[in-house]
Amino acid sequence: MQKYSVLSLARNAFSGHRNWSPAWRSPPLKNRYDVVVIGAGGHGLATAYYLAKEFGITDVAVLERGWLGGGNIARNTVTIRSNYMRDESIPFYVKSVAMFEGLTHELNFNMMHSKRTMVDVVQTWPKLRELRRRQLVMDIYGSTYEQITSEELRRRIPALTGGGPDARLPVICGMVHTDAGVNRHDAVAWGYARAADARGVEIHQQTAVQSLLRSRHGTIEGVETNRGTIRANKVVVAVSGHTTTLTETAGLKLPLRTMNLTAFVSEPVQPLVDVIVNCPDSGFYFSQSDKGEMVIGGAPDMGQSFRRDIKQHVFEDTVTAMLSLFPSFKKLKLMRQWGGHLDISHDASPIMDQTDIAGLFVTAGWWGGYKAIPAGGLTLAHLVAKGEPHPLMASFTMDRFRHLDFVMEAGTTTAR
Amino acid sequence: MLLIPCPYCGKRNECEFIYGGPVGAKRPDPNAVNDAEWVEYLTVTPNPQGPVQEKWWHARGCGEWLVIWRDTRTHDIMEAPDDAT
Amino acid sequence: MSYDVTTQRCGLAALFDLKGSRETIQNWAGDVLPPFPDGPNTRSEKNETELFHIGRDHWIVRSPLSQEDTLESRLNPADCPPDISIVRISDTLTFFRVTGRDTLDVMAVACPLDLHDSVFGPDAVTHTEAFGLKALVLRYADGFEIAVEQSFGDMIEDYLIRAIS
Amino acid sequence: MQRNRRAEGGRIDRSRPLRFTFNGKPYEGYQGDNLASALLANGVRVTARSFKYHRPRGIVGHGPEEPSTLVELDGEDASGNRPATTVPLCDGLSARSVNCWPSPGFDLGGVNQLFSGLLPVGFYYKTFKWPGWHLFEPAIRKAAGLAAAPASPPASGHFEARHAHADVLVAGAGPAGLQAALKAGRAGKRVFLADEGTEAGGSLLNRALTIDGKPAMDWVSGTVAELDALENVTRLQNATVWAYREHNLVMVNECDPDRDGILERSWRVRAGEVVIATGTTERSMVFGNNDRPGVMLASSVQAYLNRWGVVPGQRVVLFTNNNSAYAVAADLAAAGVSVSAILDSRRTVAPEALDLVAGLTVHLATVVSEVRGHKGVRAVKAAPATGGAGTWIECDLLAHSGGWNPNVHLWSQSRGALRFDDDLAAFVPDQPVQACRAVGAAAGDLSLDRIIEGGADLAYGIEPLWRVDVPGQRGMAFLDIQNDVTVSDVHLALREGYSNVEHVKRYTTAGMGIDQGKTGNINIIGTVAMQQGVPLQDVGTTTFRSPYTPVSFGAIGGLREETVLFPYRHTPVTRWNKDNGAVMYEAGARWQRPGYFPKPGEGLQEAVNRECRAVREGVGVYDGSPLGTFELKGRDVPKFLDFIYANIMSSLHPGNGRYGLMLSDDGLILDDGVVLRLDAHRWLLSTSTGHADAVNQHMEKLLQTEFPDWQVMITTVTSQWNNATICGPRSRDVIRALGTDIDLSPEALPFMSFCDGTVAGFPARIVRVSFTGELSYEVNVAPRHMAAMWDKVMEAGAPFGILPVGSESSHVLRVEKGFLSLGHEVDGTVDAYDLGMGWAMSKKKADYTGKRSVMLRRASGRVRRELVGILPVDPDRQIPEGAPLTPGGRKEATEGLVTACVWSVVNNRWVGLALLENGHSRHGEIAHVRMKDDVIPITITKPVFHDPEGKLMRS
């Protein structure tokens, strides 16, 4: 792998940048691999990388219907955090956050990881109670969460001028999660792709899996694609909202639904807000990108959807909530908006498991799942390589549904 | 903002409705099914890329619960597909 | 310049919620009710008593408050047949009247429904959304009436003031 | 001195001069100008600096496509990142260039140009890694971002959002849009015509065309007059159609509507049919230094000339690959401007085009390979398209036309397919998906004669040229002027394997600016196609996302803000509560409720202690009105209630009530409440405040979708009944003092019964339920009587020391009794058995909602977290609600949590409730609360700290 550094940049400048090698190869497609990973998104690429790096499994093909990094990873709001509530979730996300922080050096690709802290703007007492409950459990696992006064909150976020004493929901206080950060989503996809490729993993774009193939014994034996049949005894489905579409080709039903979550960005402006702002009572969150755009997200649309646009009323709810706390944003302009597919499981927690079909692995139910990419990839690689769940993900198998023992993680970012 | 046909009121804005989820399997007699069947009934709902049958409640309108077919790829509301059961 | 509109928060009216089969209700209520309106989301009126057909097998009858006790005794909710439901709901709704030259401008802010007179005729009445809440909307003289759940009355008053100024 | 202004002509009013400043310098323009035309009129060439290299830039376009000159406005209208071409000039306007310091003429950031070799595309990804991004980020953030963030909301005025309905919505009031609107309007249809310009006419405003031999603008004004006379037509100018959503919902943003006080108006238009008449945008040519000030779109030069009476240069060269620039040359020549040459990349040109420029120099098969001049064009190099030595032509303005793109943004947003038309070398609308059609130039009809009968125009005649590619070419050739993306950047991206056009866009940021690549995106696709040797259509197009042009968030939000941001609900006592010093809280279901009633100088705890003591020792009263209440009638109500509640309700006798739990079918607790049987057929069901809507939905869904044959009629009566709940040992005395005809004796009115009668002269229903564990009477009256009733209660209760009780005290009182609170003890994993409420789960009923799931879950044998009481070993030690319990207080996985902890006045200590693994069998044990740096021992007890037998509430 060609090393990226200031020196290599300078060296290449003299040659007019004509000697940069491709970030990944375009190898010919074989008809058999040890492992086929479906989906060159964050989770698929990370899984392939860790299979190669941690477990020495390099005969891996990542098959991508479109372009690599083109799914949810291309359209999320890049918030990385570990402020969860349950014992099952917190250690996993603590690990994921730590892995994200080291990713730039691990992959020799600048992820532009900015550990800039998330600040919750708390506007109701029940929400404060819930967040303080999280805080005390997070303390056990070394994740940081601290309450600050509303004065301190406004000092840290000067643009927060709404939510005064006469507002519909006055600001009560803030909660500060210093472990949280943002980074560059495309870099995560490209960095994993480049590093996985360097370890021998093959990435095949424009390769659409049409169905899963099962042997006479019911085990998985490969996939049918638009480029022909590919055999493998282990197949990993890492396709977020499209999971059920694929697994149903093998007769496997999963408790998943696909929904639409939208985000939007403002025009780029000079630095104004240097933390991730999350307003759970009002139902929105945002951060300012290095380019200066406010990257804003809200609540998902209710119905199932495979569309990638935005519903006007859902969008307006988010905007009005934002303006109530940040009234100066009335003069800020919307520049671009889009949607992504969320895969949401019956209990709204992720599913990572070997399915009833031997050799078929799924990772799903992540609500998009950006912040889970490194640890999700590592733990899935562990599951695929060793055949048993990684301890960090042991509670997230399908087993819980058999006993209706749900993992209820109340309070994703914007739950009202 | 969908425009949803209410059998009583005609087409109305989605904001007048509350989403009621996809139409899944009919509730089985809980004393006549095994655990796996009961769990599947509860947790697995259709998730097609294409027409899905779903319930909406005209909560801010006439109060009717209605069932429509909606294509999850386009949000088009349509007649029941030919192969619908 | 603000919109040329007058808004008024109305006092109570006598309201009864009627559910069940039209025949049974008709038989029970006799001539205390106006003739049943023909179509969905329309209303009829007789002697200051109005009947709103606002859902499948569902009506609301409205009279001046002075008629409340008379109506109660004639409709007799406690003893009406088991397969119809009559419930006094006079206190559950707060009515607002919006009238004046720019009424349609204000209604366009409040309500997503098409209120053009070719679509929403003089006898139209329907539950819809107003200012984000469930609301009963009907034409009144040269304007409209909007009724919301009583506890939201202060909020709608607040919103109307914002919308017209 | 407007040295570039023509003496006459154009749609400006020379009798109305307007003064403005740009980067601090004063200038003058005319009514009808926009900022760009006024700057050009004043001869201001360098109007901006570029984003990355800080190269000097001038004005390129004349509308929303402008990629180059973004300005910030000062004062009342302060806003940033506005293309100068879209800012109408007004008197006193003050504007500044974004992105440069101290001025565009002398920009210190310009040093970046010297290091451009070190800043190839993607350099961020390769560097700034060591020791960490955080070291570099602040400087990089500061360098980005264009305009300053708005510092405050608009000082005056407000935004409005409204709904509208139309049979036909027409987007664009150019020739095709006007024609479509007129046809629909004449047919009596409700027409909504929205146009982004300040006046109707579209491209006709900029071009000197004729219709039926008369000036085309005569036709426009005639058509507009007829439209404006039609009552069924709404015509808006300054109104951009920015989004096309599902089911023909179209968003329109109207700036400066004709009404004082409204800054912008957002229209949500639901249309029967949408006519997309959005015209076209000219695209750039790509050659060396194609970003120098004085390199402008040919159509824009024409627009400034004809519409604004401005000559942006004295010696002009035109560079084109299609016929439209010939009309520009002709207009320039007719205005007396010196046209040095027309360079045309095509080998042959139609005679009509050549006829139009008779007398001017035309070089065919010739391209511009390079521009000379730093702060303005001084010369262009004309080179043979097939290669070979070029010659320099001196000029101060290069007007170029790379062809035209139909504005298919709305079409694409409507999900309509696009097809690449080889004749037009552009993406054009293909099959529609929603009820819409594209007309005129937006549909690919790129000359007026194809749009309107009698229109005279040249045929288009394009031969595409995605970028100039001749040997020896020098200078940066920009594909995206706003984001400083060059041809070599795209080539590098492709070399590095970013081969999909989406990768190219993301790696280079091409097309991601405020202009969203309106003039350049197709050249990016073309460049990729040329490099990969594939047809352009195989590279694909990019998705057109809303908004078409940036829209202020204020307009999108409309009036919904401040107190009306979310709905709020009041009871008739809300006013009294506020007048009596209550601290008001947001409670469930949008109700505003009193938290506690502090006396002056009193804190929360003292106030709560006082209120609790009143209830435990004397009497208190709270407003229970927000509880959800439903009247049920019908022959199947008993069966229905037995199905939705876990216990049996059907056996209730009239006059009695029963508490019950409602589960969801996966066995989670949905609600708890009390059911009263009013008479043989009527039942009254009450729910917790926060779950009233959810319960209503649950019931109606079951009845209408699962059991349509069951006869149950539900009427919501939450606001037909308000109640004052009078509780405490002296509550019976208070009601007697109020005066009632109801027999209050425990025999006549026992616990969980009710009776109708009068209280204090008001028709009332007294219900004996208790959420405090004390003797308690819920006095229900109609809301019209509630405020008066409340006053009488306070008056009658005064001798007994009655106090109003807020929700904080209610919480303490229920914790002392171990009564359930859904928001505290129920969090989605807990069932009735865990709560010690197995008695509420009927064994007799074969089926009810949730039964099977609860049984299935419990059969797994997994350890349960069960409700217990807790007593901190140190009685004065408060434990935060939500605090985790861990084995031995060690830092490891939790075994439970404290759900509530309150100061108990009856026990004179802190008491609480917790969910703890196997808690029911651990009474008497010590457990440990794990705090961050501390462990708090607690004793596990039964979850009841007051009157364990429940004698008081039954007394």
Side-chain angles (χ1 to χ4, degrees), chain D residues 363-388:
Chain D
H363 297 292
L364 297 183
T366 303
V367 297
V368 172
S369 63
E370 189 184 337
V371 169
R372 184 187 288 159
H374 184 66
K375 292 183 182 172
V377 178
R378 293 206 312 274
V380 300
K381 191 173 193 178
T386 48

Side-chain angles (χ1 to χ4, degrees), chain D residues 2 12 59 216 255 265 345 363 372 433-434 452 457 482 534 551 563 588 595 597 619 644 674 719 743 810 902 929:
Chain D
Q2 302 182 35
I12 43 162
I59 288 158
C255 290
R265 185 183 275 147
S345 60
H363 297 292
R372 184 187 288 159
V433 173
Q434 300 203 41
I452 213 160
D457 204 351
Q482 190 167 103
V534 298
V551 184
T563 53
F597 293 83
V619 62
I644 61 174
V674 172
S719 290
D743 182 349
S810 297
V902 299
V929 176

Side-chain angles (χ1 to χ4, degrees), chain A residues 3-26:
Chain A
K3 182 139 175 75
Y4 290 163
S5 67
V6 172
L7 278 179
S8 68
L9 192 74
R11 209 164 37 240
N12 269 283
F14 285 110
S15 57
H17 299 289
R18 304 214 163 264
N19 297 325
W20 290 109
S21 57
W24 43 79
R25 300 161 294 149
S26 301

Side-chain angles (χ1 to χ4, degrees), chain D residues 428-446:
Chain D
V428 296
D430 196 6
Q431 290 304 308
V433 173
Q434 300 203 41
C436 65
R437 63 194 164 96
V439 299
D445 289 331
L446 292 176

Side-chain angles (χ1 to χ4, degrees), chain A residues 4 17 23 68 87 105 110 114 116 168 267-270 290 312 316-317 330 332-334 337 404, chain D residues 80-81 117 125 127 129-130 137 145 147 245 268 495-496 503 546 551 553 560-561 566-567 586 857 894:
Chain A
Y4 290 163
H17 299 289
L68 78 85
D87 296 291
H105 292 291
N110 191 353
S114 172
R116 64 171 66 169
R168 176 64 185 82
E267 59 183 321
V269 290
Q270 291 287 314
D290 287 339
Q312 182 65 25
E316 285 184 12
D317 282 350
K330 286 179 184 176
L332 198 63
K333 289 186 283 293
L334 166 74
Q337 53 184 181
L404 299 176
Chain D
N81 297 328
Y125 299 119
T127 55
K129 300 194 299 295
W130 194 264
E137 190 182 25
R245 310 232 187 265
R268 314 173 188 95
R495 261 202 310 286
E496 290 197 74
H503 285 151
S546 52
V551 184
F553 286 120
R560 210 183 119 192
E561 58 179 356
F566 301 122
E586 175 79 5
R857 184 176 299 130
T894 65

Side-chain angles (χ1 to χ4, degrees), chain D residues 28 65 118 121 200 237 284 339 360 483 638 680 781 829 907:
Chain D
E28 193 180 275
E65 77 286 354
L118 278 173
V121 61
Q237 295 297 147
S284 305
V339 176
L360 299 182
N483 278 356
V781 297
T829 56
N907 292 285

Side-chain angles (χ1 to χ4, degrees), chain B residues 1 13 27 30 35 65 75, chain D residues 246-247 270 665 704 852:
Chain B
M1 181 93 76
N13 263 342
R27 187 178 190 269
D35 285 355
W65 272 93
H75 292 178
Chain D
E246 68 277 285
H247 299 188
R270 190 76 80 167
D665 220 6
Q704 292 191 44
R852 174 73 202 259

Side-chain angles (χ1 to χ4, degrees), chain D residues 242-291:
Chain D
W242 61 272
Y244 192 143
R245 310 232 187 265
E246 68 277 285
H247 299 188
N248 265 18
L249 179 69
V250 173
M251 297 302 302
V252 180
N253 185 60
E254 183 188 12
C255 290
D256 299 318
D258 185 23
R259 182 175 286 276
D260 294 344
I262 296 181
L263 302 168
E264 290 174 40
R265 185 183 275 147
S266 176
W267 297 79
R268 314 173 188 95
V269 187
R270 190 76 80 167
E273 187 192 26
V274 175
V275 177
I276 295 171
T278 43
T280 58
T281 300
E282 195 166 23
R283 52 204 195 202
S284 305
M285 285 288 209
V286 180
F287 47 86
N289 296 328
N290 62 339
D291 64 325

